[in-house]
Amino acid sequence: MTELVVADDLPACSIERSLQVLGERWTLLVLREIFAGRHRFAEIRGALDIAPNLLSARLKTLVAAGVLEARAYQEPGSRQRQSYHLTPAGRELKLVLGALQQWGDEHRPRTVGPSALRRSKEGRPVRVAFVGEDGVEIPTRDVAFVLNT
C-alpha cells in the first residue's frame, strides 16, 4: 500500500497537484487501457502504439503517486516482469475518465458515434454529474469553484 505524501512544498491548488501526476496525454490513455483490462506492459504498448520509454516513464509516475501498483509475474521460460493494477486511488479516476469521455462525446463527437459507452452493471446508460450532499444533481452552470484563501 502506498503511503499518502503530504508536504508543505506542494502547490496549493489540488488541480495543479493532480496534473503533476495526470497531466501528460499518455497518462490518461494508459489508465484507459488498464481500466479496459490490459495490465501488462506489452498489452498497453500494443494498444496505444506508444514508445517504450514514454510508457515506462508514465507507469513509473503512476506507481510512485500511488495510482497503480506493480505486481511481479513470470511466464515459463521468461524473465520476471511487472503487471500494473489500479489502487483504490486509481479506481477513483474512473470518474475523471468518464467525465472526459462524456465531454468529448458532446463537444468533440465523431460522425460514427462514440467508441465506448458508459453503462451501469445492469446495462443502463449513465453520465457524470455534480451531485449535492442530498443526492440531487446540480447543473454544471450552478457549480462554482470557490478559492479557499
Side-chain angles (χ1 to χ4, degrees), residues 5-7 12 17 24-25 31 40 43 46 49 86 98 117 123 125 135:
V5 177
V6 179
R17 291 191 309 275
E24 298 284 336
R25 169 187 180 246
L31 288 170
R40 296 179 177 187
E43 294 172 327
D49 195 28
L86 296 161
L117 302 171

Side-chain angles (χ1 to χ4, degrees), residues 25-52:
R25 169 187 180 246
W26 287 111
T27 300
L28 295 175
L29 296 175
V30 167
L31 288 170
R32 178 194 69 191
E33 296 307 314
I34 292 172
F35 272 108
R38 294 181 181 94
H39 299 282
R40 296 179 177 187
F41 189 94
E43 294 172 327
I44 299 166
R45 183 168 180 249
L48 295 176
D49 195 28
I50 182 177

Side-chain angles (χ1 to χ4, degrees), residues 13 144-149:
C13 176
F145 290 115
V146 180
L147 296 179
N148 186 16
T149 56

Side-chain angles (χ1 to χ4, degrees), residues 91-113:
R91 285 190 290 278
E92 289 181 20
L93 288 168
K94 185 182 284 188
L95 186 65
V96 174
L97 292 178
L100 284 169
Q101 180 193 40
Q102 182 172 297
W103 185 88
D105 289 348
E106 185 172 333
H107 298 286
R108 306 273 302 156
R110 300 180 329 145
T111 57
V112 296

